[in-house]
Amino acid sequence: MSESLGSGRPPTPEQKPTTALRRRLAELRGPATPARPLDARALAALAANPGCRRRALLDGAGVDKGALAEAIGSPSAAFGQSQFAFMRGNAFEAKVKGDGGTELLRLLHERMGAGAEPPGQALTPDLAAAGPEGRAARTALALREATESGGWALLDHPMLALEVAGSPAYLEPDAVVVHPDGRWTVVEIKSFPMIDAAADASKVGAAARQSAVYVLALERVAVLTKGASVDHSVLLVCPKDFSNLPTASVIDVRKQLAVTRRQLTRLARIEDIADELPPGTTFDLDGQSGASLATAVEAVPAVYAPECLAACELAFHCRGRARDEGTVTALGRSLRGELGALTTVGEVLAAARGESGDPADPTVAAVRRAAALRAEAGATCR
């Protein structure tokens, strides 16, 4: 990816989607339908399953996957956030950032200060601009100015740009803090509690993957900013115990960053996926039957795994298809890796019964051995 993306300078023609691609993606989602922007949560899920061309295309085109899933008869009620939880999260974030970010900076210095002077008054630049491209450019300029000033700065909801599969994504972390030494630290503010200095591991893991996407986008700006560096540790701020008082912990996201960088690089380019679709394929929800939309969905290859249930609105649809086809991937990626060339449940059962498969194949031999042990245990129990 070119280094000028997100630097404050306009992207080159090679970086921006071509007019033809923009038109093609608009046709896929419906010309009258506004595109749903990619966010860090979606990118983290996409990076976790880079082989799923279906998700890459639908996210790249800005298709509302939740509405699409409902239209084809596989709604996902697990997605979305209650209005109460949403309001509680906003109130907690406002509390953390109140009074010019004094409490946030105190928590950051407490957890990551290590010899630096406690933050005094921090610069809080205005990041308002027209459109996401303008806001990304304004953010890049504010980061450079803050780094050059040599003081503390708090950027509230900055806009970062990242190219994904040939299409730009605009990301909005909760906050980025610029240290006097030129370090940039991502701050994630979550409303789940931290009880006895520990939070739910799955939620912390999701926050780490999401933060890694922000770090990756920040690195594109830092490489063009003299004296700047991006901290690979992020500050996670949560309510303390059962109160509304904020507390914080530091998360090292180097592992998640390496995985995200590698997986996003592996993603097929969106235009390549779109070019392989049958003529006339569209995901326009207006005026199309559920059957037509289901046919369009099936025209794009998918890679389902149980982890998709927590990350993709189309997971129930894809799980049903995977079960119908008997693919072992539906049982988990680790099992799929163990079974080698045996890709369906039917093939595994046939190999276990000795009806197919090469006996010299270690996988076939292991499956037959497991079947023999099961039969032996069953006979013993009788």
Side-chain angles (χ1 to χ4, degrees):
M1 178 175 144
S2 173
E3 293 176 349
S4 64
L5 184 60
S7 66
R9 298 195 296 265
T12 64
E14 291 76 14
Q15 292 173 290
K16 299 177 71 174
T18 64
T19 302
L21 177 58
R22 289 182 185 271
R23 188 182 303 116
R24 180 73 175 107
L25 296 180
E27 290 171 354
L28 286 174
R29 69 173 178 271
T33 305
R36 287 178 64 89
L38 273 171
D39 58 17
R41 185 173 300 177
L43 286 181
L46 195 58
N49 191 8
C52 187
R53 298 166 76 86
R54 181 176 297 168
R55 174 151 197 167
L57 178 66
L58 294 176
D59 281 349
V63 175
D64 185 340
K65 298 195 301 299
L68 179 61
E70 187 169 352
I72 63 178
S74 299
S76 176
F79 285 86
Q81 189 179 40
S82 72
Q83 189 65 21
F84 174 75
F86 184 74
M87 292 174 62
R88 183 182 60 188
N90 282 346
F92 179 69
E93 181 176 335
K95 180 181 180 68
V96 172
K97 294 179 179 177
D99 193 21
T102 301
E103 180 65 12
L104 190 156
L105 291 171
R106 183 191 69 78
L107 289 170
L108 184 139
H109 182 263
E110 180 182 288
R111 302 296 182 183
M112 308 176 73
E117 288 295 321
Q121 190 67 28
L123 178 68
T124 54
D126 180 9
L127 303 179
E133 291 186 26
R135 287 189 60 201
R138 180 69 189 92
T139 294
L141 179 61
L143 284 167
R144 284 202 298 273
E145 291 175 343
T147 303
E148 291 171 359
S149 71
W152 289 95
L154 172 62
L155 278 67
D156 186 5
H157 285 286
M159 184 67 74
L160 306 173
L162 185 66
E163 186 178 304
V164 181
S167 183
Y170 293 97
L171 315 171
E172 190 175 8
D174 292 328
V176 171
V177 174
V178 178
H179 298 245
D181 60 4
R183 280 184 299 141
W184 300 349
T185 299
V186 170
V187 178
E188 268 294 281
I189 303 173
K190 298 296 186 182
S191 58
F192 57 80
M194 199 174 291
I195 301 173
D196 292 334
D200 182 274
S202 63
K203 293 179 179 179
V204 172
R209 291 188 293 273
Q210 186 175 333
S211 298
V213 177
Y214 297 138
V215 171
L216 185 61
L218 268 179
E219 288 181 341
R220 302 306 195 261
V221 187
V223 74
L224 296 174
T225 304
K226 184 178 180 180
S229 64
V230 182
D231 206 329
H232 291 165
S233 293
V234 304
L235 187 73
L236 175 65
V237 182
C238 299
K240 182 178 181 181
D241 298 325
F242 300 100
S243 70
N244 199 39
L245 299 175
T247 187
S249 66
V250 177
I251 306 175
D252 189 330
V253 298
R254 283 177 294 184
K255 179 180 178 181
Q256 292 85 352
L257 181 63
V259 171
T260 300
R261 183 184 288 114
R262 182 174 67 252
Q263 300 294 59
L264 290 181
T265 302
R266 288 177 54 198
L267 281 173
R269 294 182 65 82
I270 292 172
E271 55 262 48
D272 296 337
I273 303 173
D275 288 344
E276 295 174 1
L277 294 176
T281 298
T282 178
F283 304 98
D284 190 351
L285 299 175
D286 294 331
Q288 280 206 101
S289 66
S292 298
L293 288 169
T295 300
V297 168
E298 290 304 311
V300 192
V303 177
Y304 171 77
E307 294 85 352
C308 296
L309 292 171
C312 182
E313 296 90 333
L314 282 170
F316 289 114
H317 173 80
C318 298
R319 181 179 65 176
R321 291 293 184 269
R323 286 176 172 177
D324 291 343
E325 296 168 1
T327 59
V328 296
T329 308
L331 303 176
R333 291 194 181 99
S334 59
L335 181 60
R336 171 67 187 89
E338 293 289 339
L339 291 173
L342 303 177
T343 59
T344 68
V345 173
E347 290 177 351
V348 174
L349 294 177
R353 292 191 295 262
E355 297 171 358
S356 65
D358 182 359
D361 185 334
T363 301
V364 174
V367 167
R368 291 182 181 175
R369 175 61 176 160
L373 290 174
R374 183 178 186 277
E376 182 180 331
T380 301
C381 291
R382 288 197 296 269

